[in-house]
Amino acid sequence: MKLDPEIIHERLNYPRPTLPPPATRDAAYEWKLADRHGNAFGRWLYRPRPAPNAKDADAPWTDVFGHEVHQSEFRVGRDFAVTAIADDEAFRIVRVNPPAAPKEIFRQTEKLALCDLSTDERFILVQSAQNGNWYRPELLVLDMAGTVLAHLGAVDGVDGCFAHQGAWAPAAGDARIAILHEASGFAQPAIWHPFANRIEKITTGLEGEIGGFSQFQPAATWDRTGEALILLRSLNGRSDLHRLHLATHTLETLQPHDGTIFRHECDAENRVVGLWASNATYGKRFRETERFPTDGFRPTRPLHRWHFRRIAGVPCFVVGLSDAKDRGPRWTIFDPYGMPGYHYADGYNGGLSTWVDHGFQLVLLNTHGTSGFGRAWRESTSPDLGFIELEDLRQVRTALIDEGVVDERRAILSGASWGGLMTLLGMGTQPDLWAMGLASVPVGDYEACHWEASPLIRAVNRTMFGGNARTHAAAYRRASPLTYVDQVRRPILISTGRDDLLCPLQQNLNYVEALRARGGICDLHVFEGGHAPANVTERTAWITRQLEFAMHHTNAFDQTQT
């Protein structure tokens, strides 16, 4: 099959639905992080909010710190803002009351997230890993001076409590906080009364867990009356949305379980609005139970439905999979994701769709270690990070070969971010299983990556490995693809961002140079951007380069078999 630039362009450039900016407090200032590369690293800026139709709408921005900072999030009050920033020494919460200088009000050595401001702007909700485990965090309530007023580390003796923006009840003086806990082994909602030291547990009757495809996606938030919670539920890689009426404990389904909800909020009329997509169709806006397609967009070819299956006990999506005996030999891409915080979800993915357009089969694995399938699954890789996920890959591959839908000689290992690490690790430790590797924004040299990455990532590493790359060097080396570079036998393409601070360029260059020095085939594609391409042009070039590399090597192999 030949490369089809037209379908690549259509899949990656379709007009995405949008929502109006979310409703905000009546703030005196506008705030933004000028982050050039999507790394949560940039200059934090503010300026007076212009009056409607004002002539000075383009007032200059003021740089809060005078230099770039690693910032995880910020929250805006009426005449101030607070932010969470990090450096090599600490994680800090800083308050700014323009035009005064920024003031640090809280610090700790381990990772924290700034969740929400109380509606009356007297208190700050923080998610903290000062206990040493970001995946079982604690919740803190601070006053505006940074004093800890309340702390929640466990529910029913099970540690780990979570919250997001929108957690505080909407009425001024109402101290209720919507949280998630894992007492049942799956994330479920509760209401925390921090100043009464009381937890009000909630039974939803929903299978799966309350949460989105990402750890950053708000999943338990309030409506504008404070009389209902809006709950995002994940089950088997798809999500749905519900309104829980607290007075009657009744559940009202707003969006069904047939794709992925990427964003939701309550508009000024207290209607739940948001964005939804699946790989059977493109993205749509929704309002309550209605969905609205993007006006004027007419795709030229149908999409490819994702089918959920548990294969060898691993939750997977399979796409374009057919009986190889009936269709002839086909190449299959195995794409794993295994890091806590994310999982493969059935929301439109144009990059993956192009592979099926070009005749490849896809198997997307939510290996041990992913979120979305319960606490035990998420934490099951800690005894041997990386290798439990690789065993999942081996078993799923074997099962599909035994079914007759995968040709064992035509299996490709591919992945991005943590999946990119898995790809390079698999190419070195399972060299007989994979015909080639396609690693995007991967970790190639884990020890170097730890020190080159942002402080936000180093804190996550300390949770996963129990310490840093100096105190736990053996664990980092065992999980590092560079350790196994001598065993790589097949071609590899590495795609990486020039300004990536999560999986930085240099540590990947270390791997490329080591493999090439040993005579291995290792192509390198460096795109403009951070942990993802900077724009659709760069993204198109990246997907095209991957397809070209794969088709070159698959065509060469197929010709030897005829």
Side-chain angles (χ1 to χ4, degrees), residues 133-148:
N133 190 341
W134 180 241
Y135 301 122
R136 296 188 181 186
E138 305 168 316
L139 294 176
L140 308 176
V141 173
L142 314 179
D143 64 17
M144 285 300 162
T147 303
V148 177

Side-chain angles (χ1 to χ4, degrees), residues 102-334:
K103 180 181 180 181
E104 178 184 311
I105 62 172
F106 183 82
R107 73 156 55 191
Q108 62 183 39
T109 55
E110 292 302 329
K111 185 173 172 64
L112 60 78
L114 179 59
C115 300
D116 207 9
L117 282 177
S118 63
T119 305
D120 58 13
E121 301 182 356
R122 296 174 57 202
F123 309 109
I124 304 169
L125 178 63
V126 172
Q127 186 171 296
S128 165
Q130 194 59 24
N131 61 3
N133 190 341
W134 180 241
Y135 301 122
R136 296 188 181 186
E138 305 168 316
L139 294 176
L140 308 176
V141 173
L142 314 179
D143 64 17
M144 285 300 162
T147 303
V148 177
L149 303 179
H151 164 270
L152 182 66
V155 173
D156 289 347
V158 178
D159 52 349
C161 298
F162 311 81
H164 298 92
Q165 188 172 14
W168 280 97
D174 188 343
R176 294 176 299 164
I177 300 174
I179 69 164
L180 299 175
H181 66 92
E182 295 181 324
S184 68
F186 294 85
Q188 293 296 316
I191 297 174
W192 179 30
H193 301 259
F195 304 126
N197 193 28
R198 182 168 66 89
I199 292 290
E200 185 181 341
K201 291 189 292 184
I202 295 172
T203 301
T204 66
L206 295 170
E207 188 182 355
E209 61 183 17
I210 303 303
F213 71 94
S214 160
Q215 63 180 326
F216 304 109
Q217 194 174 10
T221 56
W222 296 90
D223 77 344
R224 289 186 174 276
T225 69
E227 297 175 356
L229 291 178
I230 310 303
L231 302 178
L232 178 65
R233 186 271 297 259
S234 289
L235 174 67
N236 294 338
R238 294 185 172 96
S239 56
D240 49 16
L241 195 64
H242 307 268
R243 180 186 284 115
L244 178 67
H245 299 274
L246 295 174
T248 59
H249 294 281
T250 55
L251 205 62
E252 174 190 2
T253 298
L254 302 174
Q255 288 292 309
H257 184 253
D258 60 350
T260 294
I261 293 156
F262 287 93
R263 175 180 159 189
H264 68 280
E265 61 200 42
C266 288
D267 66 11
E269 298 178 36
N270 202 33
R271 299 173 301 184
V272 179
V273 298
L275 301 176
W276 168 95
S278 82
N279 286 284
T281 185
Y282 289 88
K284 298 179 180 180
R285 292 182 299 110
F286 68 82
R287 182 177 61 236
E288 294 286 305
T289 59
E290 294 182 278
R291 288 180 183 162
F292 308 95
T294 302
D295 293 337
F297 176 58
R298 298 292 183 269
T300 63
R301 291 177 236 183
L303 285 171
H304 312 286
R305 188 179 299 274
W306 289 18
H307 301 278
F308 180 82
R309 287 184 56 188
R310 289 188 180 268
I311 306 170
V314 180
C316 301
F317 282 107
V318 295
V319 193
L321 209 62
S322 62
D323 191 330
K325 298 175 184 177
D326 296 338
R327 298 285 299 275
R330 298 183 71 192
W331 288 84
T332 304
I333 294 175
F334 290 79

